[in-house]
Amino acid sequence: MSKVNNPKNRTLTLERTFEAPIALVWEAWTQPEHVAQWWGPKGMETKVLEHDFKVGGNWKYVMRMPDGNEFIADGVYSEIVMHKKIISTANFKPMTEGVEIQAIFKADGDKTHFTFNCVHETEEYCKQQEQMGFYNGWGSVFERLHEFLQNS
């Protein structure tokens, strides 16, 4: 496999351990009323427009910033393995398009190890997304998820 096509070189990864059982973390990711509570960086309000949670199903969320600007996030689920992983295409217009997101869950007693991968089409695009604030943005999203889980 050539270095250029190696997905590792096109992937940004965040890992986190949530102090919540896997069933609860899974529910937070898969129930639209829960997704609306934590999806999007701090300060953004999220409305779930579409959430067809099955392979081939579409999801579409609108994120509104405090200044009133809106971003559309959408994708199609390509793989779902209960309590293990959710893989989907994703667009976060206008910032990011044509990526694959992978949410991977692993139970550890009452905790859940969580890995989030974002696979880009090219290494160059991956680097650009990293510089645009991938880790801060998604870090903030998963901090909100952590708070949501603590209060559930």
Side-chain angles (χ1 to χ4, degrees), residues 8 11-18 20 22 25-26 29 38-39 79 81 83-88 100-108 111-119 134-135 138-139 141-142 145 149:
K8 276 196 170 79
T11 303
L12 298 176
T13 300
L14 271 169
E15 291 186 61
R16 185 106 200 220
T17 298
F18 293 115
I22 199 160
V25 179
W26 182 262
W29 267 87
W38 63 267
W39 184 275
E79 194 178 348
V81 180
H83 291 183
K84 297 229 183 294
K85 65 180 163 183
I86 301 168
I87 298 178
S88 153
E100 178 181 89
I101 55 174
Q102 306 170 343
I104 298 159
F105 309 84
K106 192 170 188 278
D108 178 15
K111 298 178 186 174
T112 304
H113 290 298
F114 171 71
T115 304
F116 181 77
N117 296 316
C118 187
V119 186
F134 172 88
Y135 289 106
W138 282 103
V141 171
F142 298 137
L145 174 56
L149 292 166

Side-chain angles (χ1 to χ4, degrees), residues 50-60 74-77 89:
E50 217 176 324
H51 189 83
D52 189 11
F53 189 66
K54 65 178 192 219
V55 172
N58 294 305
W59 59 271
K60 187 175 191 177
D74 65 36
V76 178
Y77 294 108
T89 60

Side-chain angles (χ1 to χ4, degrees), residues 42-99:
K42 262 194 189 0
M44 278 198 181
E45 198 180 297
T46 300
K47 202 151 106 193
V48 176
L49 301 182
E50 217 176 324
H51 189 83
D52 189 11
F53 189 66
K54 65 178 192 219
V55 172
N58 294 305
W59 59 271
K60 187 175 191 177
Y61 311 150
V62 173
M63 297 177 285
R64 179 175 285 138
M65 293 177 69
D67 66 8
N69 277 329
E70 289 188 344
F71 296 101
I72 302 281
D74 65 36
V76 178
Y77 294 108
S78 57
E79 194 178 348
I80 296 170
V81 180
M82 189 166 173
H83 291 183
K84 297 229 183 294
K85 65 180 163 183
I86 301 168
I87 298 178
S88 153
T89 60
N91 300 298
F92 304 95
K93 293 174 187 145
M95 299 88 63
T96 308
E97 292 188 47
V99 295

